[in-house]
Amino acid sequence: MSLSEEMYLRYHGLIVPKETHSYESLEFAQGFKFEDDDVLAVTYPKSGTIWMQEILPLVLNGGDLTPIHTIPNWERVPWLEEKQLARVVAKLASPRALVSHLPYNFMPPSFCTSKAKVIYLMRNPKDIMVSSYYFHQMASFLEDPGTFDEFMDTFLEGKVLFGKWTDHVKSWRNSELGDRIMYITYEEMVQDLPAALRRISDFLGCNLTEEVIQKIAEHCSFKTMKNNNMSNFSLIPKVYLDHDKSPFLRKGIAGDWKTHFSSEQLARFTSVISKELEGESFPLPWSLD
Ligand code: PPS
């Protein structure tokens, strides 16, 4: 697949969609002033970003449902690099929560000098690829992914939004942010959301009661979010996101790759990813094969 210049922008080599990003929005992110009490959730695309947009306001405000019922997710917890940020930044409640798909080396200088905390959410790359394949079908501002097999090559070559998954993970796993960074996985959240919420709450020093944790877990379940119009992207016109082709909140499970990958594809995928992670000291939370 050759990358469409009409649809995508390259910012210092990083591929982003023009519909949601501009050179100005990326420069705005570079000049963004992080506050010490800001919280940033970083994800490679399709790792559970909108899940964090639901979770963070509730954890930070003690479980008050108002934001998730009244503010669309992209304004409630905006993307650092997207066009929306400049428009909504003044309206963000403190402590501010943001999300980002940027690799660590693209973070603005003020992030590095601030004490802002970051949650790096990782997901099994095989499930990311499956989720992304369907997302490319439903989002009119992304290129047609071609066949599943063709998209696998595109994904493995890193000719996709925000580049190679392995480069993203390496950049954040090696960021050496000490106690400013917490690592969590999508799979951990699927398996036991209350436990994941306790970890997030402890990391952010929120001290939530068990009752509040259970309430947040209920409101951040896949089923509840799928029915929340402020979080399921149903407010976006169908010409941009066509949920009849594939819903944004599609399956919400771990291991969907098993119904998509042939044994040859699994071998190819595993071989490329393992090679690119060779010599890295951080552990992977899942086996690659
Ligand atoms: S994006 O476009 O990068 O912002 O997408 P992102 O939000 O990172 O990832 C979308 C996938 O996350 C799933 N999701 C959830 N899974 C389980 N529980 C909850 N509450 C939840 N919210 C979002 C969503 O369904 C996409 O995964 P797939 O595998 O396609 O279902």
Side-chain angles (χ1 to χ4, degrees):
M1 186 169 80
S2 66
L3 285 168
S4 152
E5 284 187 18
E6 204 181 302
M7 287 179 162
Y8 300 138
L9 170 74
R10 271 184 192 265
Y11 181 74
H12 301 297
L14 198 66
I15 303 162
V16 296
K18 284 185 180 170
E19 187 59 44
T20 43
H21 301 69
S22 62
Y23 185 76
E24 290 72 29
S25 76
L26 290 149
E27 286 291 293
F28 187 84
Q30 285 308 309
F32 185 76
K33 293 276 173 286
F34 272 92
E35 307 283 346
D36 286 345
D37 61 353
D38 286 342
V39 178
L40 179 71
V42 179
T43 56
Y44 183 82
K46 311 320 285 183
S47 302
T49 324
I50 69 155
W51 206 354
M52 294 305 292
Q53 288 173 324
E54 207 82 350
I55 290 172
L56 286 179
L58 297 181
V59 168
L60 291 168
N61 73 13
D64 176 0
L65 302 178
T66 315
I68 66 160
H69 286 162
T70 58
I71 313 172
N73 57 310
W74 59 88
E75 292 186 8
R76 183 200 308 146
V77 181
W79 272 268
L80 174 64
E81 57 275 12
E82 288 198 4
K83 294 178 194 170
Q84 296 281 348
L85 181 63
R87 195 174 60 76
V88 302
V89 67
K91 289 194 271 180
L92 296 178
S94 186
R96 304 181 300 184
L98 295 113
V99 288
S100 178
H101 290 318
L102 293 175
Y104 181 60
N105 42 309
F106 279 82
M107 289 307 285
S110 80
F111 173 77
C112 303
T113 51
S114 78
K115 294 192 179 105
K117 287 190 173 171
V118 50
I119 299 173
Y120 188 64
L121 170 59
M122 289 200 295
R123 185 180 189 186
N124 187 322
K126 297 195 289 269
D127 282 338
I128 288 179
M129 199 216 112
V130 172
S131 180
S132 186
Y133 177 66
Y134 287 101
F135 185 54
H136 279 72
Q137 293 177 359
M138 65 99 65
S140 65
F141 52 90
L142 300 181
E143 268 188 342
D144 182 313
T147 64
F148 187 75
D149 202 61
E150 284 163 349
F151 187 65
M152 180 171 289
D153 284 337
T154 312
F155 182 87
L156 290 173
E157 285 163 18
K159 291 183 181 159
V160 282
L161 311 180
F162 295 90
K164 277 187 185 176
W165 176 81
T166 46
D167 286 341
H168 202 278
V169 170
K170 281 192 253 186
S171 78
W172 280 99
R173 292 295 320 211
N174 294 323
S175 60
E176 297 186 345
L177 288 166
D179 58 8
R180 280 181 60 195
I181 189 162
M182 167 186 162
Y183 297 101
I184 193 162
T185 63
Y186 176 91
E187 290 73 18
E188 197 180 329
M189 288 164 59
V190 167
Q191 200 187 353
D192 188 345
L193 186 55
L197 292 171
R198 274 179 226 115
R199 275 192 66 207
I200 293 172
S201 157
D202 287 351
F203 173 65
L204 298 177
C206 292
N207 225 347
L208 300 180
T209 63
E210 193 50 32
E211 195 187 338
V212 172
I213 292 283
Q214 294 300 333
K215 177 182 172 187
I216 297 176
E218 191 188 317
H219 286 278
C220 295
S221 72
F222 182 77
K223 200 170 153 212
T224 314
M225 279 183 63
K226 207 173 161 67
N227 289 320
N228 182 358
N229 289 342
M230 290 293 153
S231 310
N232 60 17
F233 289 106
S234 58
L235 298 176
I236 301 286
K238 195 174 174 176
V239 290
Y240 298 110
L241 293 178
D242 186 347
H243 297 265
D244 290 339
K245 290 189 178 155
S246 178
F248 191 98
L249 282 126
R250 192 183 58 90
K251 281 198 180 168
I253 58 168
D256 196 29
W257 65 269
K258 289 176 193 160
T259 60
H260 288 78
F261 280 45
S262 68
S263 50
E264 181 280 320
Q265 286 168 335
L266 176 59
R268 176 157 39 118
F269 193 95
T270 306
S271 145
V272 172
I273 299 281
S274 319
K275 205 162 181 188
E276 288 180 2
L277 292 180
E278 228 167 56
E280 294 298 329
S281 56
F282 56 84
L284 278 186
W286 352 257
S287 122
L288 280 178
D289 43 33

